[in-house]
């Protein structure tokens, strides 16, 4: 951890096991859970022990290490066949974040040429995926922060921080870098209904680093912008289509529409592992729908009539035309388009 404000790792390989910080318990309890098999890792991704697009990709990569370890001990000749079911389970743990698909593809490419015990090479690849993600975040932090003015006030949504990545964060990486440069006056964090990633996780992360943070309810964002209390909105992404349409936590699209109305700049920060060049536009992104309980209960307490119908999409798609700046580790794009994204990816 070489950067100021880089102190937190939610995904850790230690003692031949995968350790995950249980994000369901934050901010009040900091509990690490140890995993020694891939099926439990899949369940942890589904249950949101770990969440955030890059973090679930990295977690799945370590899941492959655990699957390979078990399968190689059982059958050194046919271990690749034995891990196929677990690979598929990991792949389908959550549908929207492309980082999961991307990381598993890298692990598959790594093991396709292996002979002998696959574990050392697979572990090295999973650790490389995590380290590259952290380094991409450092780079995006520098690039994004350079665009911000002094005395900047920022609104962020969900949690795109160290908890959601290999470490340091995407949107929060930009905020961390800008804070270190003395540019941040105030960060506002949307509470991010229904799972409260903003109130529980972003507020906790920023307070650890003494970055001034104020939590708002999601529906206060328009009033915040109208009162000119923010100049920039900075968010992460779960999947970006080839034309620059961005899937991110539900409510991100609302913010982009409001930002345009109020002359607030809208920045998306995501590593190129979040770009899905196979999708021409965001209409084709699969949006995860989660259970009704997340909406109609709060802290275990029912808050709406029993049996009421609920629609709970976990993500929405912001059209590229509402995005002022896209930051990846490969550079900054103003008003991203199919052509500029393709040129960046081919650099
Ligand atoms: O449902 P979650 O908490 O996994 O959703 C996370 C987000 O929407 C993040 O903004 C996104 O994954 C980017 S994290 C760097």
């Amino acid at each position: 951890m070489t950067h100021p404000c880089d102190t937190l790792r939610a995904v850790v390989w230690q003692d031949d096991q995968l350790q995950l910080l249980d994000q369901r318990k934050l901010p009040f309890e900091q509990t690490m859970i140890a995993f020694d098999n891939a099926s439990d890792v899949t369940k942890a991704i589904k249950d949101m022990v770990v969440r955030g697009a890059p973090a679930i990709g990295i977690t799945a990569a370590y899941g492959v290490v655990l699957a390979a370890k078990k399968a190689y001990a059982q059958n050194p000749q046919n271990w690749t066949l034995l891990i196929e079911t677990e690979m598929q389970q990991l792949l389908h743990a959550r549908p929207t974040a492309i980082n999961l698909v991307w990381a598993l593809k890298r692990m598959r490419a790594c093991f396709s040429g292996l002979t002998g015990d696959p574990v050392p090479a697979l572990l090295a690849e999973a650790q490389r995926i995590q380290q590259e993600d952290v380094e991409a975040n450092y780079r995006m932090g520098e690039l994004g922060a350079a665009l911000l003015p002094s005395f900047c006030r920022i609104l962020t949504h969900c949690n795109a921080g160290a908890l959601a990545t290999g470490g340091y964060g995407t949107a929060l990486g930009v905020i961390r870098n800008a804070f270190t440069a003395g540019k941040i006056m105030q960060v506002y964090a949307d509470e991010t209904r229904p799972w409260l990633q903003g109130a529980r996780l972003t507020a906790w992360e920023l307070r650890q680093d003494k970055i001034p943070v104020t939590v708002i309810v999601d529906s206060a964002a328009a009033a915040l912008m109208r009162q000119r209390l923010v100049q920039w909105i900075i968010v992460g992404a779960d999947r970006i289509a080839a034309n620059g349409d961005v899937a991110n936590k539900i409510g991100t699209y609302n913010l982009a529409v409001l930002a345009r109305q109020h002359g607030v700049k809208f920045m998306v920060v995501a590593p190129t592992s979040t770009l899905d060049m196979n999708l021409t536009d965001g209409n084709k992104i699969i949006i995860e729908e989660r259970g009704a309980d997340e909406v109609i209960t709060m802290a275990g307490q029912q808050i709406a009539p029993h049996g009421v119908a609920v629609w709970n999409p976990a993500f929405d798609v912001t059209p590229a035309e509402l995005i002022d700046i896209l930051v990846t580790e490969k550079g900054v794009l103003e008003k991203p388009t199919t052509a500029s994204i393709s040129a960046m990816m081919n650099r």
Side-chain angles (χ1 to χ4, degrees):
M1 302 192 204
T2 56
H3 275 54
C5 299
D6 180 20
T7 51
L8 178 61
R9 292 289 179 272
V11 182
V12 179
W13 183 268
Q14 208 179 349
D15 303 329
D16 281 341
Q17 289 184 320
L18 172 63
Q19 315 257 351
L20 296 176
L21 177 60
D22 189 348
Q23 300 193 28
R24 300 166 305 180
K25 302 233 167 87
L26 290 172
F28 301 115
E29 275 178 49
Q30 289 174 55
T31 314
M32 298 300 287
I33 306 181
F35 294 86
D36 63 4
N37 73 81
S39 299
D40 288 349
V41 173
T42 296
K43 187 166 179 335
I45 295 172
K46 279 184 201 282
D47 293 349
M48 313 266 283
V49 171
V50 59
R51 32 66 50 206
I56 63 177
I58 293 160
T59 299
Y62 286 118
V64 174
V65 179
L66 295 173
K69 192 174 168 192
K70 191 179 76 182
Y72 185 72
Q74 269 172 17
N75 186 337
Q77 268 74 49
N78 283 325
W79 68 269
T80 51
L81 292 177
L82 293 183
I83 69 169
E84 205 43 55
T85 307
E86 282 158 320
M87 292 281 292
Q88 290 304 318
Q89 285 167 348
L90 286 166
L91 185 66
H92 295 110
R94 293 189 73 191
T96 304
I98 188 70
N99 305 63
L100 196 54
V101 181
W102 174 89
L104 289 170
K105 205 166 155 192
R106 256 184 79 161
M107 294 305 282
R108 203 178 272 285
C110 176
F111 72 61
S112 65
L114 287 180
T115 49
D117 182 356
V119 174
L122 289 176
L123 177 57
E125 181 68 349
Q127 287 174 324
R128 218 167 7 247
I129 289 173
Q130 179 161 18
Q131 189 52 33
E132 285 173 15
D133 186 62
V134 174
E135 276 156 24
N137 290 339
Y138 291 159
R139 179 77 189 125
M140 293 187 291
E142 284 164 21
L143 292 171
L147 303 172
L148 301 178
S150 304
F151 308 110
C152 194
R153 285 175 299 202
I154 294 164
L155 172 61
T156 189
H157 190 64
C158 193
N159 171 267
L163 292 168
T165 61
Y168 199 64
T170 56
L172 294 197
V174 169
I175 289 171
R176 287 193 157 97
N177 190 296
F179 177 73
T180 308
K183 285 184 166 184
I184 301 280
M185 209 155 102
Q186 182 65 236
V187 178
Y188 291 90
D190 269 347
E191 61 171 350
T192 317
R193 283 268 300 151
W195 211 74
L196 303 177
Q197 287 93 334
R200 297 192 305 105
L201 309 180
T202 295
W204 179 74
E205 262 200 63
L206 294 180
R207 279 174 63 85
Q208 301 279 312
D209 290 338
K210 309 216 168 354
I211 300 175
V213 58
T214 299
V215 173
I216 61 167
V217 297
D218 299 332
S219 41
L224 190 80
M225 290 184 224
R226 180 139 184 110
Q227 292 184 34
R228 301 191 181 287
L229 288 173
V230 286
Q231 294 92 43
W232 279 85
I233 294 170
I234 308 182
V235 296
D238 279 79
R239 191 184 295 228
I240 303 178
N243 72 340
D245 291 351
V246 168
N248 191 48
K249 179 54 53 192
I250 190 75
T252 302
Y253 175 37
N254 306 28
L255 294 181
V257 172
L258 289 170
R260 191 52 58 92
Q261 166 72 15
H262 293 93
V264 170
K265 293 278 192 191
F266 194 87
M267 182 192 293
V268 175
V269 188
T272 49
S273 54
T274 304
L275 272 126
D276 186 348
M277 298 303 282
N278 294 320
L279 292 188
T280 50
D281 63 71
N283 291 326
K284 302 189 177 75
I285 298 175
I286 297 169
I287 300 294
E288 176 183 11
E289 290 191 22
R290 295 187 60 90
D293 275 7
E294 286 185 353
V295 176
I296 58 170
T297 63
M298 220 175 230
Q301 198 71 32
Q302 181 85 17
I303 54 163
H306 287 283
V308 72
V310 170
W311 182 50
N312 184 20
F315 303 96
D316 58 24
V317 175
T318 300
E321 71 235 35
L322 294 178
I323 295 163
D324 294 301
I325 298 285
L326 172 63
V327 180
T328 76
E329 78 280 12
K330 288 194 169 191
V332 170
L333 297 182
E334 246 179 82
K335 306 218 170 291
T337 60
T338 304
S340 67
I341 290 176
S342 160
M344 176 189 71
M345 292 302 275
N346 291 326
R347 275 211 279 271

